[in-house]
Structures are given as C-alpha cells and as structure tokens.
Amino acid sequence: MSDPVFQKCIAPECGACYGVEEVLVACPKCGNLLDVQYDWDRLAPPAALNHFEKYWAQRDNPQRRSGVWRFHDLLPFTSLEKCATVGEGQTILQNSTGCARYAGMNDNALFLQYEGMNPSGSFKDNGMVAAVTHARLVGAHRAACASTGNTSASLALYCSCIQSMKAIIFIGSGKIAYGKLSQALDYGAQTLQIHGDFDDAMARVKEVSKKLGIYLVNSVNPFRLEGQKTIMFRVLEALRWNVPDWIVVPGGNLGNSSSFGKAFHELKTLGLIDRIPRLAVINAEGADTLYRLYNEKGLRWNGGTPDRETIAAFFEQMSQENRHASTIASAIEINRPVNLEKCLRALEWCDGVVRRVSDQQILDAKAQVGACGFGCEPASAASLAGAKLLREEGIIAPSEKVVCILTGHQLKDPTATVAYHSGDEQKFQETLASRGVMEAKFANNPLPVENDVEDIVRAIQG
Ligand code: F0G
C-alpha cells in the first residue's frame, strides 16, 4: 500500500489490503474481519511510553485531554485535528483492597479500571469516538448499530453532540436495561425495537446498513477497535508504564478482548513493552459461546487458521436447538460474537484463558464492587467474578497484579441492583430467582421506619 495506514484482512491466507477511506465491515474478498494496520517504519511511533507524559500538560487542547486521542501516536489513522471528541477516556484505575480480599488476592494486587466514567457511562465511548471520526472522514451522515444498550447509548451521545450525523439503533425488544434505553431516547436516536434478541438485531443491522448505505459502528468496524486499545494504554499509564500480570475482561461481542490483544501485540512489536500480560475473557454462563468453543471444542486461532468447520457446526447446532443467550448481565447476553476470530487471535497473543461465571457469581461480585468501590453494572462484574474463579483454580497467584475491567456504570441497570439489595421478595423472584440466583448474600437491605424521630434514631443506632 502507498499509504502507511490501511485496512487489512485478518486471515493470513487472504491478507487483502484496503484504503483507510473505504467503508468496510468485512473483507470483500473472503468475508473475514479487518484490522487497521500501520506501516510503523513510515510513521513516527514513540520511542518509549513515557513519551505520552508530555501531553499531560496540554489539557487545554480537547484532543490531548481526551483519554483516547492523547494516545493518537498509536492509532494515527487520521490527523489529530480531525478527531472528534466529547472528553472521553477520563477514567480511573483504582487499587481495591476489598475486592482483592474477595478474590483471594493479596491486599494491593487487584485493580479496577472504571470505564463507566466515560461520558455515556461505558467503555464504548473509547471506540465510538474513533468510529465517528472515521465516519466523518468518509462523509457519513447516518450511523447505525445493534446493541445490548451501551453501544447505542454511546452512538446516540456522539450524534447528539456533533449534530452532523443521525443515530439509528437496533435493539432486541425487552432486552435492554432501562438506564441505557433512556439514554438513546433522550439523545434523540431513532430507536428500533426488533422482535428478537441482540443476535437477531445484529444480523438485521448488517443487512439494513448495507442496503441503505448507512455507516455501521458495531465492533465489526475496525476503527472502533482502534479506539478501544486506549483502555489498555491508560491502564499502563496509571501503572506508570508497568505491565500488569493479568487483564480480566467480560466477553460479549468480543470487541474489547480483540482490541486489547492488538494493543499489546503492537506495543511489544514496537518495543514499547517487554512482555504481554495474560488475558482472561469471562463469559456469562447463559451466553458462553467462546467458553464452549475454546475450552470444550479446543478451538484456537492456530496462527490464523482456526477450525472454521467447528465454528460453523457449533452455530448450526445452536440454530437447530433454537438456543438463545440468557443472563442477568444483559450487556453480554450474546451467543454469536462477531469478533470471535479476532478474540482467538488475542488469546493466542496474550496466552489467554476463558472462563464462564453464573449470574449468582456476577451479582455477588457486583455487590463487592459497589461496597468497595464506585460500583458497576452486572456484566462488568463478570471480570471480578472471573478473577476470583481463576484465583480459586490457582491459575492466578495471590501476588500477581490483576486488572479487572469494569465496562459500565452502576446506574446503567438499577433494576438488577435494586432486586438484589432491596429485600423485596417479588422483585427478587421476578428479576433474579427466575435466572437461577438463589440468594443475595451481600444484600444491603433498606430499613423501613416510621415517620418518627425516635423510631429513626433507634433504627440508626441498631
Ligand atoms: N460490558 C458491557 C457493559 C457491555 O456493554 C458490553 C458490550 C460488554 C461488556 C462486552 O464487550 O462486546 O467487547 O465483548 N455491549 C455491547 C453493546 C454488545 O451493544 O452495548 P465486548
């Protein structure tokens, strides 16, 4: 390619390349996923990661203030001035002793990366800002996505802020947490409730966006995953450029895990880190496609030749059995992850493992994140539940440095939180028991008291 930045098919046997200006969500030649690739010899990558510290003093420049674009040198697919921003990526890495103890780790060994602090309340803004930037570059005026709620909230927010693009979102009816639905509606997105689940909405949005020429921002969009690399850059930044031992992340459509793998692979290739952390991808039990393929069928990236027959047979059987994803962690209620192959590649690059956790484990872990930190939505807590499981199995050692990615804000899904904590039997039965959650071990029940000072004082003093 004459341009040092290009799109490239991830299948080594194809490897077809396309220009940055092309709007593609799959390789036109073979149908596989695409990467954004950089010819670093012709670009100017940083010589060391502390290179980025000079940007800390440039917070009056919106792009340098952005937690995504201050790492522009590692995702330079367009010039810095052309990058959209609404101030995404102002997130925090918190050392949590309480969660470390819960997971059976040493007191200072576990970190929580709060991506819920993004403007729309989830990690999606990291990727959406990159996709929207690319959409503007190619002159798109309409952008669409299928979503379990956070991608749609993010797209809707960016469109409401930049005004030059219209958001069209596809959601499974009844499959989205209220906090997220309210965002899409409030930000003015055209919201289509499809009779079906996320996997149906994803299939339809691909067809419709192709038919109508609408820019697609789901994580099949390679530019989105470029933005999500910066979550890892900020983790390293917060650790003063030291590499942790483990990154633990919930797995749904598998965009995050894919982009984290790419981030570390690129950093290692550029000589900016000397080792790659291990990656743990955590499925919910009721949405465990990756777990089953990886651990039960032994599926691997295999240097770019995964066993595609095994994958096809797995999905065929799923269709025949009419099996649908089901978990309280609605954000990861996905059975047909679009980034499956990229995730397999990431697992190979990062010596990864895959685990699955029950809704009970997810909600108990979520209660810990709430009691010891800023809180998170159910899907996010799969990371802490997964770290605990891997610790119990002896895969993670107590002293290893573990970073759990908390992908979404606590307020995204108040229904699950209230059903867990309120002590309201009916809510518990309807929302949780129906999904196999037997008890709310860490419930913090509200106390009913009379409208009377003495009564209130007695209640407070126990
Ligand atoms: N956590 C949260 C809070 C999410 O919203 C999602 C995905 C994930 C984890 C899974 O991340 O897809 O990169 O493996 N939500 C998508 C959506 C599917 O539509 O908002 P992944």
Side-chain angles (χ1 to χ4, degrees):
M1 297 293 293
S2 54
D3 194 332
V5 187
F6 50 95
Q7 304 186 66
K8 183 169 184 191
C9 176
I10 67 164
E13 75 271 18
C14 174
C17 294
Y18 307 93
V20 168
E21 69 295 340
E22 293 200 50
V23 180
L24 299 167
V25 290
C27 175
K29 272 201 185 141
C30 75
N32 217 315
L33 296 162
L34 297 165
D35 271 333
V36 179
Q37 289 283 354
Y38 307 93
D39 179 352
W40 293 111
D41 292 339
R42 289 194 287 149
L43 295 160
L49 285 173
N50 63 8
H51 157 94
F52 292 102
E53 294 176 13
K54 65 173 179 275
Y55 301 137
W56 294 349
Q58 298 176 19
R59 289 177 66 83
D60 53 339
N61 173 337
Q63 277 88 0
R64 291 291 185 217
R65 203 178 98 83
S66 161
V68 170
W69 299 123
R70 82 169 164 269
F71 297 101
H72 175 264
D73 300 329
L74 292 171
L75 53 152
F77 64 83
T78 187
S79 61
L80 186 64
E81 312 74 62
K82 289 193 179 148
C83 295
T85 179
V86 300
E88 56 289 316
Q90 311 301 322
T91 60
I92 281 181
L93 184 76
Q94 182 195 40
N95 187 222
S96 173
T97 302
C99 289
R101 289 183 183 167
Y102 178 69
M105 307 280 307
N106 291 355
D107 279 1
N108 58 1
L110 191 135
F111 296 79
L112 303 173
Q113 172 70 9
Y114 285 101
E115 288 301 314
M117 298 175 78
N118 273 291
S120 81
S122 85
F123 75 93
K124 301 288 180 181
D125 297 345
N126 293 286
M128 197 56 67
V129 73
V132 165
T133 294
H134 183 248
R136 280 205 315 201
L137 284 180
V138 299
H141 293 292
R142 291 189 297 183
C145 67
S147 184
T148 55
N150 281 326
T151 303
S152 50
S154 184
L155 174 63
L157 168 69
Y158 277 93
C159 288
S160 86
C161 286
I162 66 176
Q163 290 284 312
S164 59
M165 213 171 312
K166 181 181 169 189
I168 306 167
I169 67 175
F170 291 50
I171 54 176
S173 54
K175 292 287 185 185
I176 176 170
Y178 262 14
K180 306 174 189 181
L181 178 61
S182 68
Q183 289 179 285
L185 301 176
D186 205 31
Y187 293 135
Q190 185 172 26
T191 306
L192 305 167
Q193 288 184 291
I194 315 285
H195 286 289
D197 61 13
F198 172 82
D199 296 316
D200 297 315
M202 187 70 229
R204 297 296 85 72
V205 79
K206 276 187 183 169
E207 292 159 357
V208 173
S209 58
K210 193 169 175 194
K211 196 174 170 124
L212 298 181
I214 300 172
Y215 189 91
L216 185 63
V217 298
N218 278 105
S219 51
V220 283
N221 179 319
F223 294 91
R224 240 195 72 186
L225 296 194
E226 286 308 288
Q228 286 172 216
K229 293 192 306 192
T230 64
I231 301 171
M232 292 301 102
F233 302 156
R234 293 198 300 276
V235 165
L236 294 176
E237 179 183 55
L239 295 173
R240 293 313 300 261
W241 316 115
N242 290 308
V243 178
D245 297 301
W246 286 90
I247 300 291
V248 190
V249 64
N253 232 358
L254 305 178
N256 252 348
S257 43
S258 299
S259 76
F260 297 174
K262 185 170 189 281
F264 287 118
H265 181 72
E266 286 174 352
L267 291 179
K268 183 83 185 354
T269 306
L270 287 169
L272 295 171
I273 53 173
D274 55 8
R275 68 185 175 94
I276 289 179
R278 296 190 69 185
L279 179 68
V281 184
I282 315 297
N283 274 165
E285 267 179 10
D288 60 353
T289 294
L290 179 68
Y291 175 86
R292 290 196 199 200
L293 284 170
Y294 196 76
N295 293 320
E296 293 174 1
K297 309 273 183 205
L299 183 71
R300 294 292 183 275
W301 172 242
N302 214 4
T305 54
D307 180 352
R308 300 201 169 98
E309 279 176 22
T310 296
I311 302 175
F314 183 87
F315 287 126
E316 179 53 32
Q317 192 178 352
M318 185 182 277
S319 299
Q320 275 171 14
E321 292 170 4
N322 197 21
R323 206 147 42 78
H324 291 277
S326 174
T327 167
I328 190 75
S330 58
I332 52 174
E333 195 173 49
I334 295 171
N335 259 357
R336 295 174 182 271
V338 295
N339 287 298
L340 178 62
E341 290 200 19
K342 274 190 182 175
C343 177
L344 293 173
R345 185 180 66 171
L347 288 163
E348 185 169 292
W349 279 335
C350 302
D351 189 15
V353 297
V354 181
R355 289 294 180 271
R356 61 181 174 190
V357 290
S358 67
D359 284 4
Q360 179 79 58
Q361 289 168 303
I362 287 175
L363 290 185
D364 289 341
K366 175 174 136 43
Q368 296 300 316
V369 178
C372 310
F374 306 160
C376 65
E377 68 166 283
S380 311
S383 58
L384 178 59
K388 179 172 161 53
L389 179 64
L390 288 163
R391 176 64 212 102
E392 283 162 4
E393 291 177 359
I395 308 277
I396 293 181
S399 59
E400 284 187 297
K401 201 174 270 185
V402 174
V403 176
C404 292
I405 310 301
L406 299 181
T407 44
H409 198 281
Q410 183 190 42
L411 295 177
K412 288 279 189 173
D413 187 359
T415 312
T417 309
V418 172
Y420 188 90
H421 285 295
S422 68
D424 180 326
E425 191 54 31
Q426 195 185 339
K427 281 200 179 84
F428 186 85
Q429 288 300 329
E430 278 171 14
T431 313
L432 306 183
S434 59
R435 296 184 178 278
V437 178
M438 303 309 289
E439 55 175 338
K441 245 185 269 176
F442 306 108
N444 177 28
N445 294 335
L447 292 177
V449 286
E450 290 303 319
N451 184 11
D452 175 87
V453 170
E454 290 311 314
D455 245 42
I456 293 170
V457 168
R458 255 197 307 280
I460 290 171
Q461 292 184 324

